[in-house]
Each structure stands twice: as structure tokens, then as C-alpha cells.
């Protein structure tokens, strides 16, 4: 909790917790580059599931980012359509680890599936008319969300929030905001707000914080949190 997830590395105690568990769920797509090697080192490890298995990935384009982190944007859980597929992968893994509870896991998945479908349809309708289609973010974490709702993402930092953006990059984002009449720039709790605040002043836009569900907040509920995010996006992209 409280650790930038792109920079997390497991301690020996973390590895022991994984070894002693029945199921180990990880996102994949380069989010936990340490996970495959860790699992290989465990002879009698847990049932392991890559939650993003089978999801159509968004490919990264920056050569340095690809070299350091791999080919794909890992933020699949922020797209409701992708989150539903992740949930199915997780439900199947839980059923494999505990076959006697398969029906329980399937019922929970079916409820989540219905909730996600209803939420997605609601916000597709809201965002389809009378809204800007350009979502400007401090960190490129919303590619799958944008794909699900027909939006275009522009960001200050790349998908893995690594390094400082150049003055030319900042100038490009400010120009983009002015060109597309961007009224809201979205940031998040886990990154420094300084850059987005600078851009918002230059572009004449306000700043709104979205929850990327990475900080380990207690009692967080996925559907509730995503509805709150989408409500902020709905208001931030609404055209006057």
C-alpha cells in the first residue's frame, strides 16, 4: 500500500506469502515483470493466473518505454470491458484452486458481470453526445477506458510514469489542450500534481483527480470507484 505500483519489487517476505498461498493473481502485460521468474523458482507454488490473459492489448509506441517495460499498456483494469474479462479469469482460477466452491465463485462473477455491463452502457450513452472526446491525463493510465468509451487519450507521462517529460512534450500537451478546448485535465493520487497544475494554468483548464485503483485503499469497491471516475469524466468532458 502507498507504493508506486510500477516501481514495486517483492521482498523475501512477500515471496514467502505467495509460496504459502493457494492462489496468486497478477495483472500481467509488464505490470509485474518480476512475477514469472518468481513463480518459476517455486516448486510447489500456488495456482497462478495472469488476470489480463486473452485481453486485446494496447501496444506502446515509445521505444525506450518498450525496451524497459515491454510492448503493452498494462492498465487493463481501468477499462470496464477488460475488467470483466479479468474477473472471469480470476473466477476460473479460484474455482480451479477450490473446486468445491465453483458455484459460489461463478455466482459472484455473474453479479459483477451484470453490474459492469449496466455501468458501461449507462456511461456509453452519457459520453456519446454533447461531450469532448479528448481526455487529457497526467499519466497514460486510461487507454483502455478511453477505448471502451470512444475517447482519445493524451498524457503528460507515459504508461509507466517513468522519467520527466521534456519541455517540448509539455508544450505539445498545452497546445493540444488549447486546440481541442480542453476544460479539464485529469490527474491521480499516486503521481505529483505539479505538472498537471502547470499545464492547467497554461491551458486555462481545471484539474480533477481520478482513482486508478492502485493505492490499496481499504474497503475500495471496484464498481463504486469506477462509477465515481466516470461521473467525473462525464462532467469534465461535457461541452458547455
Amino acid at each position: 500500500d502507498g507504493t508506486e505500483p510500477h516501481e514495486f519489487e517483492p521482498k523475501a517476505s512477500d515471496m514467502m506469502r505467495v509460496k504459502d498461498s493457494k492462489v496468486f493473481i497478477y495483472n500481467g502485460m509488464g505490470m509485474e515483470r518480476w512475477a514469472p521468474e518468481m513463480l518459476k523458482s517455486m516448486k510447489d507454488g500456488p495456482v497462478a493466473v495472469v488476470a489480463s490473459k486473452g485481453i486485446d492489448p494496447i501496444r506502446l509506441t515509445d521505444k525506450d518505454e518498450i525496451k524497459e517495460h515491454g510492448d503493452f499498456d498494462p492498465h487493463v483494469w481501468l477499462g470496464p470491458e477488460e475488467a470483466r474479462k479479468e474477473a472471469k479469469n480470476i473466477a476460473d482460477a479460484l474455482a480451479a484452486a477450490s473446486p468445491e466452491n465453483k458455484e459460489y465463485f461463478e455466482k459472484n462473477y455473474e453479479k459483477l458481470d451484470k453490474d459492469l455491463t449496466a455501468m458501461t452502457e449507462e456511461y456509453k450513452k452519457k459520453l456519446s453526445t454533447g461531450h469532448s472526446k479528448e481526455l487529457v491525463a497526467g499519466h497514460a493510465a486510461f487507454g483502455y477506458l478511453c477505448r471502451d468509451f470512444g475517447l482519445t487519450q493524451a498524457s503528460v507521462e507515459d504508461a509507466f510514469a517513468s522519467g520527466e517529460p521534456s519541455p517540448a512534450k509539455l508544450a505539445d500537451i498545452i497546445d493540444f489542450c488549447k486546440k481541442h478546448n480542453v476544460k479539464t485535465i485529469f490527474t491521480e493520487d499516486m503521481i505529483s500534481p505539479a505538472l498537471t497544475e502547470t499545464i492547467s494554468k497554461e491551458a486555462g483548464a481545471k484539474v480533477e483527480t481520478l482513482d486508478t485503483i492502485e493505492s490499496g485503499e481499504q474497503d475500495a469497491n471496484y464498481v463504486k470507484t469506477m462509477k465515481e471516475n466516470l461521473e467525473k469524466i462525464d462532467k469534465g468532458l461535457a461541452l458547455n
Side-chain angles (χ1 to χ4, degrees), residues 115-129:
D115 290 344
L116 289 174
T117 299
M119 180 185 73
T120 303
E121 290 307 310
E122 176 188 356
Y123 282 94
K124 277 183 177 177
K125 290 178 182 177
K126 284 188 175 184
L127 295 170
S128 63
T129 57

Side-chain angles (χ1 to χ4, degrees), residues 1-230:
D1 291 355
T3 300
E4 166 53 51
H6 298 296
E7 299 171 1
F8 175 79
E9 290 288 340
K11 302 185 293 290
S13 58
D14 296 321
M15 295 174 72
M16 288 304 299
R17 287 171 63 200
V18 172
K19 191 176 188 306
D20 292 341
S21 66
K22 291 183 178 179
V23 181
F24 176 60
I25 303 162
Y26 66 107
N27 185 74
M29 292 200 188
M31 193 72 181
E32 311 93 342
R33 298 198 78 180
W34 43 266
E37 286 300 319
M38 179 189 68
L39 292 167
K40 282 182 185 178
S41 70
M42 297 178 181
K43 291 182 179 179
D44 299 312
V47 172
V49 56
V50 181
S52 61
K53 181 180 178 182
I55 290 173
D56 180 22
I58 293 175
R59 289 188 171 272
L60 302 177
T61 57
D62 184 271
K63 291 181 180 178
D64 292 334
E65 191 177 19
I66 291 169
K67 184 178 179 180
E68 185 173 356
H69 299 288
D71 293 321
F72 306 120
D73 178 350
H75 299 91
V76 289
W77 67 92
L78 290 174
E81 300 284 5
E82 290 76 16
R84 179 164 49 244
K85 294 174 184 176
E86 286 201 298
K88 183 65 168 66
N89 288 335
I90 292 167
D92 289 346
L94 294 173
S98 181
E100 66 275 17
N101 293 306
K102 181 179 180 180
E103 184 178 351
Y104 171 80
F105 299 130
E106 287 179 345
K107 284 183 178 178
N108 279 348
Y109 167 73
E110 287 168 5
K111 181 182 184 304
L112 177 60
D113 180 57
K114 288 179 182 177
D115 290 344
L116 289 174
T117 299
M119 180 185 73
T120 303
E121 290 307 310
E122 176 188 356
Y123 282 94
K124 277 183 177 177
K125 290 178 182 177
K126 284 188 175 184
L127 295 170
S128 63
T129 57
H131 286 71
S132 167
K133 300 300 180 184
E134 287 75 31
L135 187 151
V136 178
H139 162 215
F142 306 101
Y144 294 93
L145 183 150
C146 286
R147 186 171 74 180
D148 286 355
F149 293 100
L151 306 174
T152 299
Q153 175 180 239
S155 66
V156 183
E157 295 183 329
D158 60 28
F160 285 85
S162 56
E164 288 291 325
S166 67
K169 172 70 172 176
L170 291 177
D172 286 344
I173 289 291
I174 291 168
D175 288 344
F176 181 91
C177 291
K178 291 178 178 178
K179 179 180 178 181
H180 294 280
N181 194 27
V182 171
K183 297 182 176 66
T184 304
I185 295 170
F186 297 97
T187 187
E188 58 199 78
D189 289 335
M190 296 293 287
I191 65 171
S192 170
L195 289 173
T196 46
E197 287 174 358
T198 298
I199 293 167
S200 71
K201 289 177 183 177
E202 292 291 331
K206 67 177 182 178
V207 177
E208 183 62 84
T209 302
L210 300 178
D211 189 340
T212 52
I213 318 177
E214 294 178 330
S215 62
E217 181 183 349
Q218 295 299 313
D219 300 321
N221 174 288
Y222 179 82
V223 175
K224 178 176 179 290
T225 301
M226 285 302 298
K227 279 186 176 180
E228 291 170 354
N229 281 341
L230 288 165

